[in-house]
Amino acid sequence: LLLALERSSTPGDLSWPGSEELLTAIIDTVVAQPNMVAADDQAAKLTVLWALRWSPALEKDNPSLCTDTIKVALGLLQAAKQQVSKAGAALHWALVQGPSTEELEFVKSELADLSNAAFSEGCLEHLLGHTEHEHLVFLLNSKSFQQERMLRWFC
């Protein structure tokens, strides 16, 4: 249910009927039982990314849900730190672009120590992996007649 919600709603979108109640129930469950989500590596990673993306979007309209999404992220970061750290550039981007709290600042410093890969600034800004970033740089550095052909292939 949580993963379906993550895929179907944009951050902060509480426009559909019953959305706030459903979101509150799901968040309460995850906060109370973070190990339930942490048991699945993919669910743990996606849920942390989702919570970090949603919290700033909820900050103005629903501060209590914003706080609760931060609790979700913190609970899962503690329960599944190794699994979540494998989210790579997406996690770093979400932490940089997401909310700034004292607890999350501490987690950011811990995750920086766990991260095995160094990400270039270009990768972090665009959520691209190293390989995709290299492909785009190659494409942009090519001659104009090559760019037209390669851009059609790349898109």
Side-chain angles (χ1 to χ4, degrees):
L1 183 60
L2 181 60
L3 293 176
L5 175 67
E6 292 170 8
R7 283 190 296 270
S8 64
S9 296
T10 57
D13 179 18
L14 298 174
S15 62
W16 40 279
S19 60
E20 190 170 340
E21 293 81 14
L22 177 62
L23 187 60
T24 300
I26 291 171
I27 287 173
D28 290 345
T29 303
V30 175
V31 168
Q33 299 290 325
N35 291 331
M36 182 176 65
V37 176
D40 181 290
D41 291 355
Q42 189 71 359
K45 286 189 287 190
L46 292 175
T47 302
V48 168
L49 294 173
W50 171 83
L52 291 172
R53 287 181 56 226
W54 268 67
S55 56
L58 292 169
E59 198 167 16
K60 287 183 182 177
D61 296 332
N62 201 325
S64 65
L65 270 179
C66 173
T67 302
D68 291 344
T69 57
I70 292 171
K71 288 179 187 174
V72 166
L74 288 171
L76 287 172
L77 284 166
Q78 291 170 355
K81 192 179 299 179
Q82 291 292 339
Q83 299 98 305
V84 172
S85 69
K86 293 177 185 172
L91 176 62
H92 289 276
W93 182 85
L95 285 166
V96 168
Q97 299 296 321
S100 183
T101 66
E102 189 175 313
E103 297 90 355
L104 281 175
E105 291 301 322
F106 177 72
V107 170
K108 286 179 193 180
S109 65
E110 283 188 351
L111 287 172
D113 296 338
L114 286 174
S115 179
N116 295 331
F119 298 102
S120 71
E121 192 62 33
C123 293
L124 291 176
E125 288 175 3
H126 303 290
L127 282 181
L128 294 175
H130 183 68
T131 304
E132 292 88 355
H133 186 259
E134 283 183 349
H135 289 168
L136 284 175
V137 168
F138 176 79
L139 187 80
L140 293 172
N141 290 332
S142 62
K143 296 185 185 332
S144 62
F145 72 92
Q146 294 170 319
Q147 284 181 351
E148 184 178 332
R149 185 186 71 204
M150 288 187 285
L151 271 173
R152 275 189 253 131
W153 173 82
F154 191 78
C155 295

